[in-house]
Amino acid sequence: MKIHINGNIKEFEGRKITAQELAIQLNLNGKRFAIERNGEIIPKTNFDGIYINDGDKIEIIGAVGGG
Amino acid sequence: MADKILDTNDDLIIAGRSFTSRLLIGTGKYNSFKETRSAIDASHSKIVTVAIRRVNLGQSPDEPSLLDFLPPDEFTYLPNTAGCYSSDEAIRTLRLARELLDGHSLVKLEVLGDSETLYPNVIETINAAKILIKDGFDVMVYTSDDPIIAKQLEDIGCCAIMPLASLIGSGMGILNPWNLEIIIDKSNVPVIVDAGVGTASDATIAMELGCDGVLMNTAIALADNPILMASAMKKAVESGREAFIAGRMDKKLYRASPSSPIKGLIK
């Protein structure tokens, strides 16, 4: 399965993956971030319930220094 | 500090939240997270702005983040929409920021019109503000020093008006105190100068005009000694605020008035 993540295409095993599993595979567990799937925010409370599929466009964002 | 002499509370109140400091600090352009934290500590600021960007997925999981140095439970975070040139982009960014920060609704809206001057596109700003306020955000809004636009932003429900003093990152200081005074005079919500402060006296001038606070980033981060400058800015904002509350003397144009008595002169 190919997913667009932050502008790059990444390959994953299987046909779908939960947001929670994706976060673990990307070494994000324990960090503060938010996920948008095809333009819609996946609430943190639903990371286990929403599936990300082949071709989905994902944005993973966080807070950085800025004025 | 003014509290102690006046015997009344002089906290900055924004959207029902109370802050002991009237200095707001941006977290960009520092040499390190450690320096960022040290500068903010020296400033005694309680409100820090952050930008919202894609996470760097190549980083190692042990790599420290800004939030490790500035824990969100110790500081009030003000996510901004820096880099947004349309109301859609700004709205999307702040909705993501709210999710990121567990429902935190106090935000700084900025919609830029031009990448060279970073001047705000006030029309897109107004459009974004309307939608964000309806969506439950407490919107502090970066804007020009146009008093009509400032009033429109207040009327649609922005909880603070943040007019620029000069261009972002320019350090040119308070270029139009007259417009700022008009905005302050007509505003019923806090007016916080945002953009263009370069050194301590700029911050003091803003506070002497009657601003409720000052937001700055580059003035501290690009100073030769950011931590010392942060300390200077803390004092600058406090002294300007005290001078404003104290009520300055009238200016006497081209006429002198001696401070020593005329009576009893030795002849």
Side-chain angles (χ1 to χ4, degrees):
Chain A
M1 150 179 73
K2 288 193 170 87
I3 305 172
H4 301 254
I5 303 184
N6 288 358
N8 297 312
I9 296 178
K10 279 195 184 331
E11 289 225 31
F12 290 87
E13 294 287 318
R15 290 227 307 268
K16 58 184 183 177
I17 183 174
T18 64
Q20 181 65 24
E21 283 158 3
L22 180 67
I24 292 169
Q25 286 204 36
L26 293 173
N27 285 323
L28 291 173
N29 233 14
K31 301 245 170 216
R32 194 183 276 266
F33 58 92
I35 301 183
E36 192 196 65
R37 171 182 170 258
N38 299 331
E40 280 192 34
I41 297 173
I42 303 180
K44 265 178 240 191
T45 48
N46 216 0
F47 273 4
D48 273 330
I50 301 272
Y51 281 92
I52 294 163
N53 306 304
D54 184 48
D56 276 353
K57 194 162 165 284
I58 303 293
E59 292 285 335
I60 304 180
I61 64 94
V64 302
Chain B
M1 193 39 112
D3 290 10
K4 297 193 171 74
I5 299 168
L6 287 173
D7 226 6
T8 57
N9 187 295
D10 192 42
D11 280 2
L12 171 62
I13 316 271
I14 302 171
R17 300 163 175 84
S18 187
F19 302 95
T20 53
S21 168
R22 291 175 177 274
L23 175 55
L24 294 67
I25 308 254
T27 54
K29 293 177 168 173
Y30 292 90
N31 287 321
S32 66
F33 292 143
K34 186 162 179 282
E35 186 182 75
T36 313
R37 177 62 198 247
S38 298
I40 290 169
D41 282 345
S43 76
H44 287 219
S45 174
K46 300 284 183 249
I47 304 173
V48 297
T49 61
V50 292
I52 303 298
R53 294 287 181 268
R54 284 172 166 173
V55 164
N56 179 359
L57 295 169
Q59 266 187 350
S60 90
D62 304 319
E63 191 80 29
S65 76
L66 179 68
L67 279 72
D68 296 324
F69 286 79
L70 294 170
D73 55 359
E74 276 184 50
F75 297 90
T76 296
Y77 268 49
L78 201 56
N80 71 21
T81 58
C84 292
Y85 289 81
S86 73
S87 58
D88 283 348
E89 284 171 11
I91 292 163
R92 178 187 181 202
T93 299
L94 290 178
R95 284 179 175 154
L96 279 163
R98 181 169 57 182
E99 178 60 30
L100 179 75
L101 295 169
D102 304 322
H104 177 79
S105 60
L106 186 68
V107 295
K108 181 179 119 167
L109 171 65
E110 54 188 285
V111 186
L112 307 177
D114 166 24
S115 61
E116 197 183 308
T117 63
L118 301 182
Y119 212 82
N121 177 333
V122 296
I123 294 168
E124 281 292 283
T125 302
I126 288 173
N127 292 340
K130 282 184 185 154
I131 293 169
L132 288 163
I133 288 160
K134 214 166 150 195
D135 198 11
F137 286 93
D138 296 314
V139 177
M140 300 175 65
V141 61
Y142 167 67
T143 179
S144 68
D145 60 0
D146 180 327
I148 304 299
I149 299 290
K151 197 61 182 166
Q152 284 188 4
L153 287 164
E154 179 187 338
D155 287 344
I156 64 184
C158 291
C159 66
I161 306 302
M162 306 180 75
L164 55 82
S166 49
L167 299 187
I168 292 173
S170 71
M172 291 176 73
I174 314 297
L175 293 183
N176 193 340
W178 316 112
N179 276 32
L180 281 180
E181 273 203 65
I182 297 171
I183 292 173
I184 291 163
D185 187 51
K186 304 226 177 273
S187 177
N188 297 310
V189 295
V191 176
I192 295 171
V193 152
D194 177 14
V197 166
T199 190
S201 49
D202 298 333
T204 304
I205 289 169
M207 296 306 291
E208 284 172 354
L209 288 170
C211 286
D212 297 279
V214 180
L215 193 153
M216 65 180 71
N217 190 158
T218 309
I220 294 176
L222 295 194
D224 291 342
N225 185 334
I227 292 142
L228 188 58
M229 184 59 86
S231 168
M233 290 299 186
K234 168 190 178 290
K235 293 168 188 156
V237 168
E238 283 174 359
S239 73
R241 179 64 179 172
E242 287 189 6
F244 173 70
I245 296 178
R248 65 154 296 151
M249 59 172 277
D250 290 334
K251 282 191 189 178
K252 286 179 162 58
L253 292 184
Y254 311 114
R255 284 175 53 218
S257 166
S259 302
S260 309
I262 301 173
K263 210 172 146 192
L265 276 168
I266 301 161
K267 298 235 199 290

